Amino acid sequence: MPNLKKGIYVVLTGAPGCGKGTQARLLKERLGIPHLSTGEMLRAEGHTGSELGLKIKALIDKGNLVPDEMIIDMLKNRIEKDDCQNGFILDGFPRTLPQAEALDELLKEKNITLDAVIEIQVPDEIIMERILGRYACMKCGQGYHDKYQKPKVYGVCDTCGGTEFYRRIDDNRTTVQNRLVNYRALTYPTIPYFEKEGLLKCVDGTGSIEAVANKIDSVLGV
Ligand code: AMP
């Protein structure tokens, strides 16, 4: 396995709806390194309609995690790609302790050390409102919110002019409740794990998108 060059290696973590995806997309623009969203990778597999894709989709739609082994393999293959040579932003991985341990092993093999694990903190009542109101442009994926981030022109995407939008099937109240239960039981234990490694940085995720982005820049020192 070739050694990757030193760059910025960061994990964005936090409960569903805390803004990981939004902040990762912005950070990608600022740092010029790829945004690796395991949720997006899994949804792409789901859209292929393959047998595996259908199994993944059933788990996601109910708010359950896919098996560790599967996601670790997927991530491993992704970080081998050329565009990961100068760093990456992980969004949605690791989501369990075995995933966190596997990430450590994977990076150790490559002589890479993580620069930071940033936990974006948002209270549950805000999370529900954020998730239930969010939607995205079908064409370019730009995210919007019914209340907090409407397109400038009603029904038209600010970024690409697209006029069709979608909501994620797992963005409904029952599934979000299950995702929060899974977050607390399975993902939250990775927080003290990274704290022990001296990597954890906590950022208040309740401000504006720009304010949170500024806080992330300052903890990364960029
Ligand atoms: P996200 O787009 O990060 O909200 O992820 C959407 C869904 O994909 C999650 O609710 C899980 O079902 C699945 N998923 C994403 N990342 C992981 C992961 N690291 N481990 C297990 N399941 C995942």
Side-chain angles (χ1 to χ4, degrees):
M1 224 184 267
N3 273 3
L4 295 184
K5 270 192 287 166
K6 180 78 186 111
I8 293 193
Y9 298 90
V10 52
V11 170
L12 293 188
T13 191
C18 71
K20 298 185 293 289
T22 303
Q23 292 299 334
R25 274 184 284 277
L26 293 170
L27 197 55
K28 168 189 167 172
E29 298 305 318
R30 300 202 293 283
L31 300 180
I33 53 175
H35 162 204
L36 311 183
S37 157
T38 44
E40 275 170 21
M41 292 176 206
L42 291 168
R43 279 188 288 279
E45 185 63 47
H47 289 146
T48 65
S50 66
E51 201 180 321
L52 175 68
L54 293 177
K55 280 188 191 147
I56 289 173
K57 189 176 174 327
L59 288 167
I60 293 180
D61 289 355
K62 288 209 163 74
N64 292 323
L65 298 188
V66 307
D68 284 335
E69 204 178 304
M70 182 195 293
I71 196 79
I72 290 166
D73 268 1
M74 205 176 258
L75 200 269
K76 199 169 171 178
N77 290 333
R78 181 63 186 88
I79 67 172
E80 290 297 327
K81 301 239 162 88
D82 285 349
D83 63 337
C84 292
Q85 298 281 319
N86 281 311
F88 47 70
I89 303 152
L90 285 179
D91 156 18
F93 186 98
R95 251 181 165 100
T96 63
L97 268 181
Q99 290 179 23
E101 287 158 0
L103 178 65
D104 273 350
E105 276 305 305
L106 227 59
L107 297 182
K108 206 154 98 196
E109 275 175 32
K110 293 174 174 298
N111 279 329
I112 290 170
T113 44
L114 282 175
D115 292 273
V117 174
I118 302 179
E119 183 198 8
I120 307 179
Q121 298 177 323
V122 176
D124 283 7
E125 51 289 6
I126 297 184
I127 279 174
M128 194 54 95
E129 196 193 16
R130 277 193 184 178
I131 295 188
L132 297 185
R134 75 184 180 183
Y135 62 98
C137 172
M138 204 89 130
K139 211 163 131 194
C140 73
Q142 171 68 49
Y144 294 99
H145 190 279
D146 293 328
K147 200 161 144 192
Y148 302 115
Q149 203 193 346
K150 299 177 187 178
K152 290 188 187 88
V153 177
Y154 178 78
V156 182
C157 175
D158 296 343
T159 306
C160 74
T163 53
E164 288 182 285
F165 299 85
Y166 71 96
R167 290 179 197 268
R168 279 170 48 175
I169 295 173
D170 57 341
D171 281 354
N172 66 77
R173 191 173 292 276
T174 312
T175 303
V176 174
Q177 271 155 355
N178 191 34
R179 285 158 68 192
L180 286 170
V181 167
N182 283 327
Y183 175 74
R184 278 189 216 101
L186 302 170
T187 309
Y188 191 77
T190 63
I191 301 284
Y193 175 88
F194 286 121
E195 191 173 21
K196 244 186 240 156
E197 293 191 329
L199 292 170
L200 186 70
K201 309 274 178 203
C202 299
V203 160
D204 174 4
T206 58
S208 67
I209 291 174
E210 202 191 359
V212 178
N214 288 336
K215 285 178 208 157
I216 289 177
D217 279 354
S218 77
V219 300
L220 285 176
V222 295

